Amino acid sequence: MKILPLSVLLSFNGGYVDTAGFLALQGLFPAHVTGNFVTLGATLVMGGSGTLPKLLALPVFCLVILISRIAGLMLHKAGRPVLKCLLAAKVILLIAAAIFSVLHGPFSSATAIANLVMGMTLVSAMAIQNALHRVHLAKSPPSTLMTGTTTQIMLDLADIMVGEKGQSTSLALARVKRMIVAVAAFALGCACAALAILSIPLWAFVIPAVVGVFSFVARVETPEGD
């Protein structure tokens, strides 16, 4: 039985993992490379912990995307289901992070090595999510970065309000509906992560692993109008 669209589940996990990582791992954004540049600069100027994970986040993120793409091309040549294989790799990393969190959390009092291992595991999982989304769900709204999505929503709303009526307006309206769902799912993920870190810090990272498992029975949409 198919459940929610895959893009919605990915958006929820994108918001959840980024928020949980930021709150639990000294300001590390597992899915948001730009955010790590900002927090790294603040850490270097103001002082604080978590410098090494933020320094390593970008090269690890890039390396995992490169490996994911190479693996995807090899799987395609072998006639294997690329999307499901990449999803499986991401879910395995999220499950590993959940187990590691239960064993070694909370990370506010954990060793620097534990923080680094947890952070790079989450960064790797989100790198795979970004890669599979760009290649296999390119027509769906981004699942880890909402800046471009909200910008497009506002542009489309302007076109709908004052633009010429016709097919382009209908396409803009359909795109706005999809993007609003993506933003709402991401925001819900952020809120759930904050609540989980506050109430069940040791078990907070189990939730994205569970959501990741449901990805295997999610609907893969092919939106029109982009």
Side-chain angles (χ1 to χ4, degrees), residues 30-119:
H32 190 192
V33 173
T34 305
N36 287 320
F37 283 132
V38 174
T39 56
L40 174 61
T43 299
L44 292 175
V45 173
M46 305 297 294
S49 58
T51 301
L52 183 58
K54 293 165 190 171
L55 279 172
L56 292 179
L58 177 59
V60 169
F61 193 88
C62 293
L63 179 61
V64 173
I65 289 178
L66 179 65
I67 293 172
S68 298
R69 182 56 172 165
I70 292 172
L73 292 172
M74 294 176 67
L75 288 167
H76 179 71
K77 290 180 179 179
R80 299 298 180 89
V82 180
L83 178 57
K84 284 189 176 181
C85 289
L86 291 179
L87 276 175
K90 190 199 81 166
V91 171
I92 289 171
L93 287 170
L94 289 178
I95 292 173
I99 295 171
F100 191 83
S101 177
V102 172
L103 294 177
H104 298 280
F107 294 97
S108 57
S109 58
T111 65
I113 295 298
N115 275 272
L116 180 63
V117 171
M118 184 65 177

Side-chain angles (χ1 to χ4, degrees), residues 135-158:
V135 175
H136 300 280
L137 303 169
K139 290 187 176 181
S140 298
S143 61
T144 58
L145 184 63
M146 294 296 113
T147 304
T149 302
T150 52
T151 300
Q152 188 62 53
I153 289 173
M154 294 301 106
L155 293 174
D156 284 338
L157 287 176

Side-chain angles (χ1 to χ4, degrees), residues 21-29 35-36 39-40 49 54:
F22 179 81
L23 294 175
L25 301 171
Q26 289 81 48
L28 177 70
F29 288 105
N36 287 320
T39 56
L40 174 61
S49 58
K54 293 165 190 171

